[in-house]
Each structure stands twice: as C-alpha cells, then as structure tokens.
Amino acid sequence: MTTLERILKIKETKGAGYFVLIDPDKWQPDELVKLAVQASEDGADAILVGGSLVLSASFDELVKKIKYQIEVPLIIFPGSQTQVSKYADAIFFLSLISGRNPTYLIGEQVRAAPAIKAHRIEAISVGYMLIESGSTTSAEVMSNTQPIPRDKPDIAKATAMAAEFMGMKLVYLEAGSGAQRSVSNELISGVKKYVSIPLIVGGGIRTPEEARQKVAAGASFVVTGNVLEKKGNNGLIKEFAEAVHG
Ligand code: 1GP
C-alpha cells in the first residue's frame, strides 16, 4: 500500500487524520526523536518532518533515526528542495499555488525531482495554499508571496478547484506555523463544497477543540506543530488525536 493510500484509508476509517509536524530547527535531536515516537504511540496518524529553513546539519540522519522508531508513516513536508531523504515514506510534493512566485510553483520541484526519483521516494502532489492569518508568517517571507486574504473565500475556492483539475491529490490550507489565527471554519467549509480531493488544514491550531472544529468544517487532515513546541506533549497529542478522530 502506498503512503497516500494509507492516509486516505485513515480518513475513511477514522473520519479524519491527525498529523504531527516536527520542525528540526525547533527541537534538540534527541527530543525530536522522542516526540515522534510519542506522537506515533499516542494516536497521530503520520509524522511530518520539515520547516521553512531547516538549519540543522543532517536532515537525512534525522529522518533515518525517526523512521526506524515509528510505526506510522513519516512524510517530508519540505520548505525547500534540500529537504529530501531516502528514509522517508513519502514527500509532500508541494506547489505554492496561492502565490505567483515561479520558484515555489515549479522551480524547487524541478530541482528536487531527480533526487526523489533516484531514491524512489513516493511523491504526493499537494496544492499548497497560504491563507492570511493576522500576521506575517515565515512561509510568506521565505516564499516571497502574498497569502490569500481571509475575506476572499472565492479566490481560495477557485485556487483549490484549479489544484484538483491539475491532478493534485490533496489541498493544504495553511495559515502558517504559529499563526495568530488558524484558517477559519467558514473558509474550510466553503472550499470543501467545491473540491472532492481531501483538505489538510494547519497553522495556529492550539486546542483539541479547535482541531475538532476544523474537521467538522471539512478538513480531512489536521496538522499541529507549534503547540507541542510551546506546551510539550503532556497528553496533548492524545487529546488532539481523539478530537480529530471524533
Ligand atoms: C505549519 O501547518 C503547520 O506549516 C503547523 O502549524 O506550527 O502553527 O501548528 P503550527
């Protein structure tokens, strides 16, 4: 079974899936591996690894270390073409379709493609959409693009529809890591009505209740990262997983 099939099955059986994002820049290497193991034991359905920068020296080593200790899929969520590792189960092959910067629409993808092919990493095509969140996020700065305004749901709908027509497998509605405001429930349900591919929602989700609302609005997968960096696990992963799985 491919990783995409695995995560789609999670959606089918549990109603929605919960992904824990680990940014290697925000954790000490040993803490990071521990968190990934805990997350996989506490009900997360996949571990995402990646970040806007990833300054830490050995991305590959890190992915390898995590991979051998967890049961759930390890998916790279790359901030750039340098974040590729043969030890991952899959990579979200993102195209930043909310922006008009060719580097993040196709440039980084062309650079990353040969390594992905050579290492036979499963590439999952994802339409990546930044949604305005109340403050400037790292993703906006690093990609040099403008997010879709919160009060322009029609642009978000049309962009997600275009992703589906282009054959992308998933759409990621992203408020940005540590966003002041997560993607609104209204925007999620609005977009959901216009596309049949699953929606991933992340950025600024701080409570299990908020995660539950995202699922009720139409998210098939919910991602959290920052909240665990700020509060530690302390049972939080379990609570998030239960809220998402309903
Ligand atoms: C960021 O959507 C992810 O790319 C997760 O965001 O770190 O705010 O949970 P947070």
Side-chain angles (χ1 to χ4, degrees):
M1 198 188 273
T2 65
T3 301
L4 178 62
E5 286 165 352
R6 277 177 81 182
I7 62 173
L8 293 180
K9 192 147 189 224
I10 288 158
K11 174 180 156 307
E12 240 177 71
T13 54
K14 298 184 182 174
Y18 173 48
F19 299 159
V20 168
L21 169 67
I22 301 181
D23 181 341
D25 286 337
K26 310 233 172 101
W27 298 86
Q28 294 301 322
D30 51 331
E31 279 178 353
L32 190 150
V33 176
K34 209 168 106 192
L35 179 74
V37 173
Q38 275 175 10
S40 110
E41 288 169 355
D42 286 0
D45 298 298
I47 305 297
L48 308 186
V49 181
S52 291
L53 286 172
V54 182
L55 305 167
S56 43
S58 186
F59 186 73
D60 205 42
E61 271 305 302
L62 210 60
V63 172
K64 182 180 176 186
K65 239 187 209 159
I66 299 173
K67 172 64 202 159
Y68 290 133
Q69 297 193 50
I70 61 171
E71 301 287 330
V72 297
L74 191 163
I75 304 172
I76 299 174
F77 176 56
S80 77
Q81 47 93 11
T82 58
Q83 295 167 36
V84 172
S85 167
K86 61 175 179 277
Y87 299 108
D89 293 299
I91 183 165
F92 279 158
F93 202 68
L94 307 170
S95 179
L96 182 51
I97 54 175
S98 55
R100 297 295 178 269
N101 181 346
T103 302
Y104 291 93
L105 276 166
I106 185 64
E108 293 283 303
Q109 294 78 352
V110 171
R111 288 180 189 282
I116 291 173
K117 183 80 176 174
H119 294 312
R120 297 180 189 184
I121 306 166
E122 179 185 336
I124 301 174
S125 170
V126 178
Y128 191 53
M129 295 170 50
L130 294 182
I131 311 292
E132 182 203 343
S133 64
S135 61
T136 308
T137 61
S138 302
E140 287 168 44
V141 175
M142 294 306 294
S143 66
N144 195 17
T145 65
Q146 280 185 349
I148 294 173
R150 287 176 80 78
D151 59 350
K152 303 275 186 229
D154 288 352
I155 299 179
K157 289 172 194 167
T159 308
M161 282 189 269
E164 181 164 14
F165 297 153
M166 290 172 88
M168 291 171 175
K169 300 288 189 263
L170 304 164
V171 161
Y172 195 134
L173 300 176
E174 170 73 275
S177 191
Q180 256 175 24
R181 292 190 289 175
S182 56
V183 178
S184 72
N185 302 333
E186 295 69 35
L187 192 132
I188 297 167
S189 59
V191 170
K192 176 75 186 165
K193 287 194 192 98
Y194 286 83
V195 293
S196 55
I197 51 176
L199 302 179
I200 308 173
V201 176
I205 297 172
R206 292 180 176 83
T207 63
E209 172 54 23
E210 206 178 343
R212 193 197 60 74
Q213 288 174 14
K214 303 303 167 204
V215 174
S220 293
F221 302 101
V222 173
V223 182
T224 67
N226 233 293
V227 70
L228 297 169
E229 289 152 24
K230 294 255 164 359
K231 298 187 180 165
N233 181 7
N234 300 320
L236 203 53
I237 295 173
K238 254 190 197 137
E239 286 177 39
F240 268 109
E242 278 165 16
V244 169
H245 297 146

